[in-house]
Each structure stands twice: as C-alpha cells, then as structure tokens.
Amino acid sequence: MDKILVEGGFPLRGTVEVNGSKNAALPILISTLLTDQRCTIRNVPNLRDVDSTLSILEELGMRSERSADGAIEITEEDRSPYTAPYDHVRRMRASVCVLGPLLARRGKAKVSLPGGCVFGVRPIDLHLKGLRALGAQIRIHHGYVEAEARRLRGATIYLGGPFGSSVLGTANVMMAAVLAEGRTLIESAACEPEIVDLAEFLVKMGARIRGIGTPRLEIEGVRELGGAEHSIIPDRIEAGTFLIAGAITRGDVVVKGARIDHLTAVADVLHSAGLYISAENDAVRIHANGKIQPVDVTTLPYPGFPTDLQAQMIALLCCADGISVVTEKIYPDRFIHISELGRMGANIRKEGPSAIVIGVRELSGAPVMASDLRASASLVLAGLIATGETEIHRVYHIDRGYEKIEDRLQSLGAKIQRVTEE
Ligand code: EPU
C-alpha cells in the first residue's frame, strides 16, 4: 500500500493543468449503455473510479479502448447482461447509475444496493422514486435493486429530497427518460455542471432535452439514440483543490483549463478570505498576500459552495487569523477529516452540521490516515503548510479522484513524494 510524504513550508508557484471531471466522466461513460453505436469520450481522467466504471461496463457487455490521448471508445457487444454485482457497486457508488440506462434499453436491471459510506447513510430513494414514476416495477431483494419495465413512460417527477436535489439521482432518471415513451418533466433537478455535461452528451446522441442547467428538465422520449463524440468538462473540484493549495502555501498558482464560471462560489469565498483570484484567458490564478481571513462557508447544491471542497476549505481555514464556521448542508456527517487535522495541531470543534474552525499559528506534520477522497486531499493540503513531515496513509482514496497528485504538486514546488509501504 502506498503512502504520501509531504514536507511543509514551501510556497507553490507556477502552472498546473486541470484534468477532465471525474463526476462528469462516470455518468457519461455509463450513458453509452443507451446505444448500440460507438461513442468516443475525450478528456477522460486516468483514475481508479474510471477504471471501475469501465469494468462494470465490460461486465454489462460493453467493450472499451483507451487511446494515448485519453479518449475512450466504447461499443456494445452484448446486450443481454443486466446485473451490476455487489463487488463493483461497493467500490463505487456512481455505478448505481447503470439502473436507468439498463431499464430504458434492456428492460431489466439488477443492481446491488449501495451501502452507507464514511460520510453518512446516502440513500437512493430519489433514484427509485423517479424510475418508479416512469413505470418501472422495482423490488429490493437480497441486497439488490431488481427493476423491470417493458417500456418506460414519461411522467412528472419531483426529485427534491431533504437535502435538496440529487446529482446522480437526476442523472439516473434523466438517462431513463430519454428513451421513455412521451414527455417527462423533472422538477428540482440538479443543476451541477456535471449534469449539464451529461445532458449535452445525451443531446449529441439524439435525446430531446430542454431546460439543461435549470431545476426543470423537460425530456421528450425518443425510440433510440446513436453514437456520439464528446469532450468532458474540466474538473472544478480538482481545480478548486489546486487553488486552495496555492492559497494555503501563500503562493501564486495558475490552474490552466479551469472554468471560473463553474467556480463562482469558491472564488467568492476565497476572495473573502483575502486571496486574489482572477480569470486569465483559459485559466484561473490565485495568489496570496498577507494573512488568511476567517470566513463562514455553507455547502449547498450548485451554484453554492460544493461539499466536495469543504474538507480542503477547512484545511485552509485552520491557518486563518480568527474563527470560521463551516456548515455542511449536503452531508451533515462529512467531517471525518476533523480528527486527523486535529492530530496536526488544528483546533476544530464540531457542533451539529457545523465545524467551528479556530485558526492556529501553525500546523505540525504527523502520521495521518486518509478516510475518503476529499478528506485525503485536505490532509495533503495541510501537509503542504505544516512544519516537518506529514505521512498520509491509505492514499488509494486520493487516487480515486486525483491523477498523480504528487507529481503535479511537485511541479509547483511542493516537497511531496509517494512511497510504497511494505
Ligand atoms: N439523497 C437522498 N436520496 C437520494 C439521493 C441523495 O436523500 O436518493 C441525499 C444524500 O444523502 C445527500 C444529498 O441528497 O444528502 C445529495 O446527494 P447526491 O445524490 O447529490 O449525491 P451523489 O449524486 O450520490 C454526487 C457526487 C459526490 C458529491 C455529491 C454532492 C458523483 C459520482 N458523486 O454524489 O461526489 O459529493 O454529488 O455534490 O458525482 C466526490 O467526488 O468526492 C463525491 C463524493
């Protein structure tokens, strides 16, 4: 198992290029189940979650090939399989999104029910409610969702839940509705750029979708979809992580390819924390001058501040000149990083769905344990500013969502390396 060693105290300077978005790539790859024609998806990041998605698709009769430039070609070879087994779904929750496309095109789906995860229960009731509204017969049996439908029928579906819209719920139901008979109206649809990217890919395949990027999606079902080519949007969470890396080390970092229009809330919060952030041609630049100011941050569905940058933001606010309150409105229990940051000298107290972050003069390097993807990123960021060496274990979490993070931070001047543990 690998670990990452970081020696803190070096301001990051230079340019780093952002990769394609993981959370756009996963449902888009899955949506190729909706056609028997070849699809070409470009700018796909080279990540463990992408490999897991391709192996589920393979299990479902899809053949894929990756070329040197990062493009993935996918073609259907066998339309008969309809089961996504526990072993796959357990590793990656996004695989539950095969339900919608399998039902819509193969009339049947058997998908392992994903369990909870380190940041909460994470139910899929909204996915199932939407698919049932489209006419699917669904039962939960021996830990599997078993769904059937001869042909789905359009319906009006309210997809809001107790924590707002659901990103993958919207993806799942939208993918089913594009092949349903008649018109579907999804109210309280997720507006995240990743959902916009998926909808735009579906339109290229021949789907008829209106209201893309709004909470009301109108879908006119078609009988079949064709192959299409598409380039995945840049990863706004990866871009945000690099921007925070620049901020925490009081450096000057340009994230090439990042889209400022996807990062409005993040730029606003960083600006309030005293950072200089600007859009430059095809890039976003951050530079620091002076102290980090405390700020209050609340995570919300897009265009609000993303929950996937909450842990990284807490790492930054550990070094602020005062007290910040970070409130988690998407996953109220997603605070597992707090205790590991505490081992590095951070002063954070959890109160309900909020973290009270009291800025400290310095963090000190320590051995810490990665617990999930974004929590691991926050430990790397803290390591960049901590005195001495930080040793981050279980870094396979970070490899799910950041490609070669150590090489890319190194290119900005960080003292970071990966070591293979015995
Ligand atoms: N929810 C329900 N019922 C449902 C589905 C969701 O109550 O049927 C709740 C969730 O428990 C949560 C809220 O609704 O409180 C929002 O969850 P959502 O469904 O939007 O999350 P997701 O679609 O499962 C995606 C990303 C996550 C990201 C969230 C929120 C992918 C593959 N995953 O998950 O990304 O945190 O949206 O933006 O797109 C990550 O990349 O590290 C990651 C965890």
Side-chain angles (χ1 to χ4, degrees):
M1 220 186 280
D2 292 355
K3 63 182 175 184
I4 284 181
L5 300 179
V6 193
E7 198 189 325
F10 300 90
L12 301 193
R13 291 186 202 288
T15 300
V16 63
E17 199 156 340
V18 67
N19 283 341
S21 159
K22 165 180 87 79
N23 288 349
L26 304 183
I28 286 177
L29 290 170
I30 288 172
S31 73
T32 62
L33 283 166
L34 289 164
T35 179
D36 59 359
Q37 292 175 23
R38 177 188 301 170
C39 294
T40 306
I41 319 294
R42 302 185 192 284
N43 201 29
V44 180
N46 200 354
L47 299 171
R48 271 178 45 143
D49 275 10
V50 167
D51 295 340
S52 305
T53 303
L54 295 177
S55 61
I56 292 164
L57 290 176
E58 188 164 339
E59 193 106 5
L60 292 169
M62 309 295 286
R63 292 290 159 266
S64 59
E65 222 173 290
R66 190 191 263 271
S67 56
D69 64 355
I72 294 183
E73 290 207 340
I74 308 190
T75 326
E76 181 186 270
E77 272 196 352
D78 178 5
R79 193 182 160 171
S80 61
Y82 60 87
T83 304
Y86 175 66
D87 211 37
H88 285 303
V89 181
R90 157 181 86 77
R91 255 178 269 159
M92 197 192 56
R93 297 180 56 86
S95 37
V96 77
C97 276
V98 301
L99 253 178
L102 283 179
L103 256 177
R105 215 176 98 73
R106 302 188 184 179
K108 226 173 165 183
K110 184 175 169 193
V111 178
S112 172
L113 198 58
C117 77
V118 289
F119 46 92
V121 284
R122 296 189 77 181
I124 59 158
D125 56 312
L126 296 170
H127 302 231
L128 302 186
K129 171 179 149 181
L131 297 173
R132 280 197 174 106
L134 294 174
Q137 297 293 323
I138 297 181
R139 69 168 186 165
I140 311 289
H141 199 52
H142 296 308
Y144 277 79
V145 180
E146 295 178 357
E148 242 181 304
R150 285 183 68 180
R151 174 128 199 242
L152 298 170
R153 278 173 200 275
T156 295
I157 306 164
Y158 175 70
L159 266 194
F163 300 96
S165 52
S166 163
V167 175
L168 292 178
T170 303
N172 223 341
V173 177
M174 177 166 67
M175 286 191 278
V178 289
L179 286 183
E181 191 182 333
R183 179 168 170 270
T184 297
L185 188 64
I186 304 179
E187 292 281 13
S188 197
C191 302
E192 270 67 5
E194 295 76 18
I195 292 298
V196 171
D197 208 29
L198 169 64
E200 286 177 351
F201 177 61
L202 293 171
V203 167
K204 287 183 186 169
M205 293 170 90
R208 295 175 59 194
I209 309 174
R210 282 173 41 189
I212 296 173
T214 76
R216 169 182 278 201
L217 291 173
E218 274 181 64
I219 300 165
E220 199 63 53
V222 295
R223 273 220 91 86
E224 57 181 26
L225 295 176
E229 275 194 42
H230 188 72
S231 185
I232 302 286
I233 53 167
D235 195 314
R236 64 193 168 103
I237 305 302
E238 189 189 71
T241 304
F242 284 127
L243 292 174
I244 297 174
I248 202 168
T249 61
R250 317 288 202 277
D252 188 347
V253 168
V254 174
V255 185
K256 197 163 167 249
R259 283 183 53 171
I260 192 80
D261 57 324
H262 289 172
L263 288 162
T264 313
V266 178
D268 186 67
V269 167
L270 289 171
H271 176 74
S272 304
L275 281 313
Y276 297 89
I277 187 151
S278 53
E280 297 184 352
N281 304 322
D282 171 30
V284 178
R285 175 181 174 202
I286 193 160
H287 68 282
N289 197 354
K291 290 182 172 163
I292 308 289
Q293 298 305 317
V295 281
D296 292 346
V297 186
T298 301
T299 66
L300 288 168
Y302 189 81
F305 191 92
T307 171
D308 291 342
L309 283 173
Q310 177 257 101
Q312 301 89 316
M313 195 64 207
I314 286 189
L316 175 67
L317 294 174
C318 285
C319 314
D321 191 25
I323 301 174
S324 309
V325 180
V326 179
T327 303
E328 179 51 73
K329 290 269 177 124
I330 310 292
Y331 298 112
D333 294 322
R334 192 181 196 177
F335 282 118
I336 203 129
H337 39 285
I338 287 182
S339 45
E340 294 304 292
L341 289 169
R343 304 195 64 250
M344 300 175 71
N347 187 356
I348 310 170
R349 200 174 68 238
K350 184 172 176 297
E351 279 192 12
S354 298
I356 319 293
V357 188
I358 300 152
V360 292
R361 286 176 70 90
E362 65 174 35
L363 295 174
S364 60
V368 286
M369 195 74 83
S371 55
D372 76 78
L373 168 56
R374 310 302 173 187
S376 331
S378 79
L379 298 175
V380 171
L381 294 178
L384 291 174
I385 193 65
T387 58
E389 191 175 78
T390 299
E391 199 176 295
I392 302 153
H393 296 267
R394 296 202 187 152
V395 296
Y396 55 86
H397 286 293
I398 212 164
D399 296 333
R400 291 186 52 198
Y402 296 90
E403 186 177 335
K404 297 198 174 124
I405 191 154
E406 67 281 8
D407 292 357
R408 294 155 83 206
L409 288 172
Q410 237 175 45
S411 75
L412 294 171
K415 300 278 180 260
I416 179 168
Q417 56 171 316
R418 180 183 292 255
V419 176
T420 300
E421 286 179 304
E422 291 304 309

